[in-house]
Amino acid sequence: MKKAQSAALRVEVLRSELDYHNRQYYVFDAPVIPDVEYDRLLRELQTLESQHPDLITPESPTQRVGDNPLDGFDEVAHKLPMLSLDNAFDEEELADFDRRIRERLKLSAEAQIRYQAEPKLDGLALNLRYEKGRLVQGATRGDGTRGENVTSNVRTIKAIPLKLSGEGWPDVLEVRGEVFMPRKGFEALNQRARDAGEKTFVNPRNAAAGSLRQLDPRLTAKRPLSFFAYGLGEISSGQIAESQSACMSRLKDWGLPVSPLFKVVADIAACVRYYQSISQQRDKLPYDIDGVVFKVDQLELQQKLGAVSRAPRWAIAYKFPAQEVLTHVESIEFQVGRTGAVTPVARLKPVFVGGVTVSNATLYNMEEVARKDVRQGDTVIVRRAGDVIPEVVSVVNPERDDRPEAVSLPEHCPICGSDIDKPEGEAVARCSGGLYCPAQRKEALKHFASRKAMDIEGLGDKLVEQLVEQQLVNSPADIFTLSLEQLSGLERMAEKSAQNLLDALEKSKQTTLPRFLYALGIREVGEATAQSLASQFGTLDAIQEADEEQLQLTADVGPIVAKHILAFFRQDHNRDVIAALLDRGLQWPEVERLSEDQLPLLGKIIVITGTLSRPRDEIKSELEALGAKITGSVSKKTDYVIAGEAAGSKRSKAEKLDIPILDETGLQDLLKSSVEH
Ligand code: I6G
């Protein structure tokens, strides 16, 4: 009894902590804990709920994994129509909007209208219905009067609260807003699709729409969707505030994310300044926007103005110029990246798109070239969104006469002439020249100096290219021997800038182990893996000396990454560069290793086999959260084998090797004792 009570209490505490962290992340954009810590709390809750299923509630943060697939979506009649917005494409049209409002409200030419301003996300509209503070329905706009019931999918979107926080919300509250896919998530999703030879999404908007209209909510749960609220539908209490901006603030208090860039501006001139300011920030925003929206702030005035032909008179979307344009492919060439990846690139007739002139667009790999069938001379749609690399969306005239042959992958590197390898089944072709290839050398140095790596201020791409071309620098260690004379002799480099760079180089020598590891540019070792390796091993020496199995004990490190790490440290020239860098004075503070206190199953190797009552992935995540490493095959190093029904050869092998075999009860005991640890 006492145990069940304490579990119930812990479940409550975990839920409220997780809800709090979710709000900090999505509503306030101010996370308090790192993602791994959030995941750990979530897994602790999952473990407790699996031991005490009676404690599970529909609003628990664990209930976002997605229900069973549907046959189709039901139709939903909107209680209040979901309107669309009129557009303005230049300042004159915006001024007309303001003038029409003043005329309709019979205000003088001098009277000023206060507007609420916010970016217009490039996503899709959604209506959320909360009853007594609980999310009961999510519906798409559809034709404005009837949409689709996508509740099961909406429940998987972490930015959308399953229950409202704070107080004072009406019994029925409908919230309207935009579902969108942040650019980073979109890029990663498409990269995974490309790696698997699957179809990619054309843009984040299509990816968001496709994900929200997925019949299997478990798939939606895996898509990085997010949400900002921008308005209201039915409200049982009539009104929740006197102005649009105050409504948004109340929604925020109740845990609904609203745009962090929303602002009240004094008049139409301030709207123009707001538009200009957002245009300048556009590329740096983590999501696509296609304009800004202005709304008369006072609700009383909104009501007086009303709507015409399905669009409110009190709001307007001031749109940015198009991000997709037509141009011609002048040629298709091949570029060599840091790890030798050979990428086909379309050289384009320069075209102005999304605020910059674009003359190159990536074609990713040969499969993509074939899929899109892009050839020299084609007219293509080019898309540029934010600071994402411009890409060819599709060919406009694939049936034209005398099209040249499709381009094929060259046998030799266009930069250094080394052989190009393309392993069977892999999408990426690589130059085999390694650091002999000047292209790879340049890219490796750019990566080494970049902000998230050694963060060497002033050592930009152009400078790296000059240094390599003039053979002043061959390896990262050479950067630290550059002299003032050498640097000030370079193009566009005054003595002052040269001295600043030397100062920046000196400063960068005080680094951290994760940064240093990341800067080395080991294949598949990104920032997160570099951090995990540092926490797991504590020192660079320990990482260099680790064997494949030891490496694989690290979070994020599977057999492929482990092989890349080993291959990197096995190369003499890499070890020489590291020694030279340390010799030049690069150093970092000691790293605190993860301890058994934090992760009670740290270092334990576990194999899961047979049919269990819960999905294997779920059990795997719970064990991993406690520090265990889950592997696929049984060996002398295995600590436990979790064996469900019909466990076959792995169970027999464990018996032969005398490895403890746990059934479901044994697994629960292991989880319980580790959580209580
Ligand atoms: O489609 C929309 C996007 C953004 C909107 C909207 C919005 O506000 C930021 N606001 C309204 C009132 C409507 N559609 C109808």
Side-chain angles (χ1 to χ4, degrees), residues 334-350:
F334 290 85
Q335 233 169 30
V336 183
R338 172 166 66 85
T339 59
V342 177
T343 308
V345 178
R347 305 286 179 214
L348 305 169
K349 180 162 184 266

Side-chain angles (χ1 to χ4, degrees), residues 76-85 124-129 137-148 150 174-179 212 227 230-234 307 309-312 314:
V76 169
H78 296 303
K79 294 282 185 312
L80 294 178
M82 286 186 79
L83 303 174
S84 44
L85 288 175
L124 60 153
L126 187 69
N127 184 68
L128 301 174
R129 187 176 173 90
Q137 188 183 75
T140 60
R141 185 205 310 258
D143 65 3
T145 44
R146 295 179 161 277
E148 283 176 319
V150 286
E174 285 190 354
V175 177
R176 285 168 181 182
E178 201 87 350
V179 172
L212 193 66
F227 176 81
Y230 60 63
L232 296 161
E234 190 190 12
S309 72
R310 299 170 51 184
W314 42 264

Side-chain angles (χ1 to χ4, degrees), residues 81-86 116-121 123-126 141 176-178 228-232 244 248 259 290 292-295 302 310-312 314-317:
M82 286 186 79
L83 303 174
S84 44
L85 288 175
D86 276 340
Q116 193 226 255
E118 68 194 284
K120 185 171 183 309
L121 281 144
L124 60 153
L126 187 69
R141 185 205 310 258
R176 285 168 181 182
E178 201 87 350
F228 280 149
Y230 60 63
L232 296 161
Q244 179 76 28
M248 291 303 105
S259 169
D290 57 358
V292 288
V293 179
F294 298 111
K295 294 177 181 171
Q302 285 191 4
R310 299 170 51 184
W314 42 264
I316 196 144

